Amino acid sequence: MRGALALLLGMEPDLQVVAQVGRGDAIVDAALLHRPDVALLDIEMPGISGLDAAAELRDQVPDCRVLILTTFGRPGYLRRAMEAGAAGFLVKDGPVEELAEAIRRVLTGETVVDPALAAAALSAGPNPLTARECDVLGASADGATVADIAAGLHLSESTVRNYLSAAIGKTGTRNRQEALREARQQGWL
């Protein structure tokens, strides 16, 4: 997908693709080397997420504008992308001409957001989970025990249980697996 997208964008007379990377943890190094005006990132990437890479780009390559292009059109992801400094957020199902136009608009300083997703994000409200609840819930993803999570995050087991209980309550679910699934579905993790 990345190669095909780069090829199509390279056909635009005023756009030039200067680098492609397949891992989130390679983005900042590539941006420091090639100094792009815009970085087009996905959310789900090996290494680190596109959201984490966007925050690193904001800090290390502040002249590079970030446009998130993803299949994960979730309000929580949109909020997190904007908090990470992204200048745009689009869902992959649009035509490449719209993407090229979004890149041009981001270059002029505009913020470009998929309109349907923006409306959904406004009606969804903010992430109800605290950062620590997200950490604990995320640490439970691979089936880790409470003791494993506590050791990994340097917390007591009772504190881990409290965070998991709060996350379950805030997501309106019955257990931590359901809470994790709901948090991911909403884009909070």
Side-chain angles (χ1 to χ4, degrees), residues 153-164:
L153 296 176
H154 308 290
L155 299 170
S156 71
E157 291 183 26
S158 62
T159 299
V160 168
R161 283 188 196 92
N162 289 339
Y163 283 130
L164 288 172

Side-chain angles (χ1 to χ4, degrees), residues 30-82:
L32 287 167
L33 179 65
H34 298 284
R35 296 293 178 174
D37 296 316
V38 176
L40 189 58
L41 308 179
D42 198 347
I43 290 176
E44 299 273 332
M45 300 182 76
I48 64 170
S49 75
L51 298 174
D52 292 334
E56 287 185 20
L57 282 172
R58 177 193 61 215
D59 297 339
Q60 296 186 39
V61 192
D63 293 336
C64 179
R65 310 263 297 156
V66 172
L67 179 59
I68 301 287
L69 179 68
T70 185
T71 56
F72 302 102
R74 298 178 184 142
Y77 282 147
L78 171 59
R79 285 184 182 277
R80 288 174 55 203
M82 295 297 114

Side-chain angles (χ1 to χ4, degrees), residues 34-180:
H34 298 284
R35 296 293 178 174
D37 296 316
V38 176
L40 189 58
L41 308 179
D42 198 347
I43 290 176
E44 299 273 332
M45 300 182 76
I48 64 170
S49 75
L51 298 174
D52 292 334
E56 287 185 20
L57 282 172
R58 177 193 61 215
D59 297 339
Q60 296 186 39
V61 192
D63 293 336
C64 179
R65 310 263 297 156
V66 172
L67 179 59
I68 301 287
L69 179 68
T70 185
T71 56
F72 302 102
R74 298 178 184 142
Y77 282 147
L78 171 59
R79 285 184 182 277
R80 288 174 55 203
M82 295 297 114
E83 289 168 2
F89 193 102
L90 298 174
V91 181
K92 285 182 182 175
D93 60 4
V96 74
E97 296 82 18
E98 286 181 17
L99 175 59
E101 185 55 32
I103 291 169
R104 291 180 188 102
R105 290 175 57 199
V106 163
L107 276 169
T108 67
E110 288 185 55
T111 299
V112 179
V113 177
D114 179 272
L117 186 57
L122 289 173
S123 66
N127 178 356
L129 302 175
T130 66
R132 205 53 163 157
E133 288 164 354
C134 287
D135 291 343
V136 170
L137 198 55
S140 74
D142 61 359
T145 65
V146 169
D148 294 336
I149 297 167
L153 296 176
H154 308 290
L155 299 170
S156 71
E157 291 183 26
S158 62
T159 299
V160 168
R161 283 188 196 92
N162 289 339
Y163 283 130
L164 288 172
S165 178
I168 291 165
K170 289 177 180 180
T171 57
T173 56
R174 297 176 296 170
N175 57 52
R176 67 178 165 164
Q177 290 83 12
E178 288 181 9
L180 179 64

